[in-house]
Amino acid sequence: MAHSICLIDDSIPLGDAKLFIDDTGRLNSSNIELLLNEEEDKWEEPVKELLENLINDKDSWSVSAFRNPDIYLNNFDKESYLPDFIIFDWDYGKMSAPTEELLKEILQKSFTLVAIYTRSDEKETVERIIKEEFNDYNNRINLIIKSEKNSPKKLIEWAEALSKNNFAYKFSKELRIYNRESMENLLVEFGKPDIKDFIWLFGSEDKESNKILLNAKDVSEMIVDKLRAELISKNFGDELPIIDANYTPTCSEEIVKKMWSLRLYYKPNDGLVRKGDIVDYEGKENIKYLVVSSDCHLKTFWKKNFGHLTVIPIYKVCKENKELVRKLKLAASEGEIKKMRATSLVNVSSSIEGPTILPCIPIGDSFYDYILFPKEISSIEVALPEEKKGNPRIVPLDYSHLTVVRGVDRISISEPFITPLVEHILYNISGYGVQDFPKGLQNSTTKNISEIF
């Protein structure tokens, strides 16, 4: 399958007016071939050589071009054009914003790999800007100087190497195709029943109001589950390499935190209260609260929960958090606390019973670890709202109903993590406590088992 690649460079000549090529949009491979064959056109030689190499290798590359970043971004918004690679010139004429801002917008809008292909006199300036402003994207950017020997070849070799060694790039095309196909298949099926029939099929009946309600979260989960099943059925990721257990990773601790933060959390944009929400509590410093109440009960909150929202405090892990330090010292010695080790959300090796650590919670541009103690579970009573329409008992809980808890800029724990975490919390509230065997009996049973072998 050919990789899509596009050149963004204002040195592309306009060609003879008789060619009727519109340079205010995307130039396709046919347009580029016409321009390359125009004898009178004055090309930058490295750019011409690069495009000729790409155009001639049609099995490997599908080539497009734009004369500046503004045209590319406009085209992206209109057509959702997603190239695998972008060859990006640095120096343009008058633009809507500085070059670095336009490049950053391109990198933020979609996953694409960018080779900055520019003149040698701009090398130091571009290197400094990349180092200072593009840390988050440095593994997606390469700087190649046009005047360097074999620069077109170097650029193509870099692109080919990334197609084999970068996870997101290796599977981006496959993922996009599967996602599009799966979504279209799903929409075809969803389009068969009438919308009222659809709500009747998947909604929940409220007997008191004699209504059937379909929650947006339920629809979202149904779509995600279907997409997951489609990916599994298509054997997605079968080509993933197997690495040795002693492999030494090259990624930084910051990347580790960022990737697992992406895996663990998402950011809701509506006002609904959900299980797994991590929220701020008025007047509490270095402490947040985790919502434990089930989504099923939150949908008809006052009817099911009698107005009580179940939450548990989580404490920022830092020496300035005096409340956390006090609680830890109450339960164990400093030596025992230092041995605490979290291997998952529900498995913490510790002499303290039941705590768990929520790692790399994103706050601003940084990531912080928090710890919770299951036995601190409590509830917040929420007054019944004065709804103008309908039965207030079947109203879902919204952050506008809360006074001491703020849901602005909250994050929420994703599945498949939040359900086992809540089960861990509930189990540790009471547990199955029973008296320990005496040492002599422990030794006897241990010896008896070991003698089997």
Side-chain angles (χ1 to χ4, degrees):
M1 187 181 294
H3 302 298
S4 62
I5 189 166
C6 87
L7 170 70
I8 303 177
D9 195 322
D10 61 355
S11 73
I12 300 172
L14 295 176
D16 193 315
K18 296 177 182 177
L19 295 177
F20 299 109
I21 293 176
D22 180 10
D23 69 321
T24 62
R26 177 159 67 102
L27 306 177
N28 60 32
S29 57
S30 298
N31 300 145
I32 296 168
E33 284 190 82
L34 283 172
L35 292 173
L36 287 170
N37 291 328
E38 285 284 289
E39 294 182 1
E40 295 182 1
D41 285 347
K42 294 182 179 179
W43 284 83
E44 279 191 82
E45 195 54 41
V47 174
K48 184 178 182 181
E49 181 185 348
L50 171 67
L51 284 175
E52 285 176 337
N53 290 340
L54 293 170
I55 288 287
N56 290 332
D57 187 3
K58 289 182 169 58
D59 291 337
S60 300
W61 304 103
S62 171
V63 188
S64 297
F66 299 87
R67 297 198 73 249
N68 64 57
D70 279 329
I71 298 174
Y72 171 86
L73 288 166
N74 288 336
N75 193 267
F76 177 89
D77 291 335
K78 290 178 181 178
E79 298 182 17
S80 295
Y81 172 65
L82 292 170
D84 300 320
F85 292 95
I86 292 176
I87 306 161
F88 188 88
D89 184 33
W90 191 262
D91 187 29
Y92 300 93
K94 187 176 181 181
M95 301 294 299
S96 63
T99 302
E100 56 267 36
E101 290 185 19
L102 293 171
L103 176 57
K104 193 170 289 185
E105 185 177 353
I106 288 171
L107 290 164
Q108 288 171 340
K109 281 195 167 186
S110 65
F111 177 80
T112 189
L113 304 169
V114 176
I116 299 173
Y117 195 45
T118 192
R119 303 192 313 264
S120 59
D121 60 348
E122 295 175 328
K123 181 178 180 181
E124 291 185 4
T125 300
V126 176
E127 284 179 334
R128 176 182 54 78
I129 292 173
I130 291 173
K131 184 178 180 181
E132 292 176 357
E133 299 185 30
F134 288 85
N135 279 334
D136 288 346
Y137 310 105
N138 57 15
N139 64 330
R140 292 167 53 192
I141 297 177
N142 191 21
L143 175 60
I144 297 177
I145 303 304
K146 290 180 179 179
S147 58
E148 287 181 353
K149 186 178 180 181
N150 294 325
S151 64
K153 183 181 178 183
K154 289 179 182 177
L155 199 152
I156 293 173
E157 288 175 347
W158 171 76
E160 289 174 341
L162 275 176
S163 69
K164 298 174 184 176
N165 300 319
N166 184 286
F167 177 89
Y169 177 74
K170 184 176 178 65
F171 294 103
S172 60
K173 189 179 292 293
E174 189 177 353
L175 269 173
R176 284 168 178 154
I177 291 172
Y178 287 167
N179 183 63
R180 184 171 62 249
E181 289 177 351
S182 300
M183 183 58 71
E184 290 305 317
N185 291 338
L186 195 60
L187 289 173
V188 167
E189 297 305 317
F190 280 5
K192 291 177 180 178
D194 179 83
I195 189 169
K196 291 182 179 180
D197 291 343
F198 188 89
I199 294 171
W200 174 80
L201 281 165
F202 299 110
S204 301
E205 182 180 357
D206 180 76
K207 293 181 180 178
E208 184 172 344
S209 64
N210 198 30
K211 302 287 185 183
I212 296 176
L213 312 172
L214 179 58
N215 189 282
K217 184 173 185 291
D218 293 337
V219 179
S220 300
E221 288 178 349
M222 186 163 50
I223 293 171
V224 169
D225 288 342
K226 190 64 178 175
L227 291 177
R228 182 190 298 117
E230 288 277 336
L231 285 177
I232 293 170
S233 68
K234 294 178 185 295
N235 299 319
F236 166 73
D238 272 3
E239 295 181 13
L240 281 173
I242 297 172
I243 63 172
D244 190 82
N246 297 320
Y247 168 75
T248 301
T250 58
C251 59
S252 66
E253 183 178 326
E254 187 70 11
I255 290 293
V256 172
K257 290 180 179 179
K258 185 172 292 187
M259 294 301 294
W260 264 95
S261 182
L262 180 68
R263 178 78 175 93
L264 285 167
Y265 311 107
Y266 69 98
K267 189 172 183 179
N269 290 317
D270 58 17
L272 289 176
V273 181
R274 295 186 177 89
K275 180 178 73 173
D277 282 356
I278 294 174
V279 296
D280 291 325
Y281 197 96
E282 190 176 295
K284 301 281 189 178
E285 186 178 0
N286 293 325
I287 301 175
K288 292 181 179 290
Y289 277 73
L290 171 67
V291 175
V292 180
S293 294
S294 72
D295 288 331
C296 178
H297 291 173
L298 290 168
K299 290 176 188 175
T300 52
F301 178 70
W302 284 272
K303 179 179 178 180
K304 294 285 183 70
N305 276 25
F306 307 104
H308 286 83
L309 178 66
T310 307
V311 296
I312 191 165
I314 61 173
Y315 300 87
K316 185 178 178 181
V317 178
C318 62
K319 60 184 178 182
E320 294 80 16
N321 194 342
K322 304 301 181 184
E323 179 65 11
L324 172 60
V325 173
R326 184 188 69 80
K327 288 178 181 294
L328 290 171
K329 287 184 175 180
L330 194 65
S333 67
E334 288 188 21
E336 290 173 320
I337 293 168
K338 289 178 180 178
K339 294 177 183 177
M340 186 179 292
R341 180 181 180 84
T343 58
S344 76
L345 278 185
V346 297
N347 191 5
V348 176
S349 174
S350 170
S351 61
I352 307 173
E353 189 174 319
T356 191
I357 292 174
L358 307 182
C360 47
I361 290 179
I363 301 174
D365 295 327
S366 301
F367 304 92
Y368 300 94
D369 297 336
Y370 279 71
I371 188 169
L372 67 79
F373 304 95
K375 291 180 172 64
E376 288 194 285
I377 195 166
S378 61
S379 66
I380 300 169
E381 186 171 3
V382 185
L384 189 69
E386 295 181 4
E387 298 289 342
K388 293 181 179 180
K389 295 180 180 180
N391 188 336
R393 288 194 295 276
I394 63 170
V395 172
L397 184 62
D398 190 279
Y399 281 100
S400 63
H401 300 136
L402 302 171
T403 55
V404 294
V405 171
R406 292 188 293 109
V408 179
D409 293 328
R410 72 191 184 279
I411 64 164
S412 195
I413 302 175
S414 305
E415 291 291 7
F417 299 99
I418 183 58
T419 295
L421 175 59
V422 170
E423 289 176 355
H424 169 82
I425 291 168
L426 297 176
Y427 165 77
N428 278 278
I429 293 171
S430 58
Y432 301 119
V434 68
Q435 183 177 350
D436 289 341
F437 295 138
K439 286 286 179 65
L441 185 54
Q442 292 179 36
N443 294 338
S444 174
T445 54
T446 302
K447 178 175 178 292
N448 197 24
I449 291 171
S450 65
E451 288 177 349
I452 295 174
F453 302 98

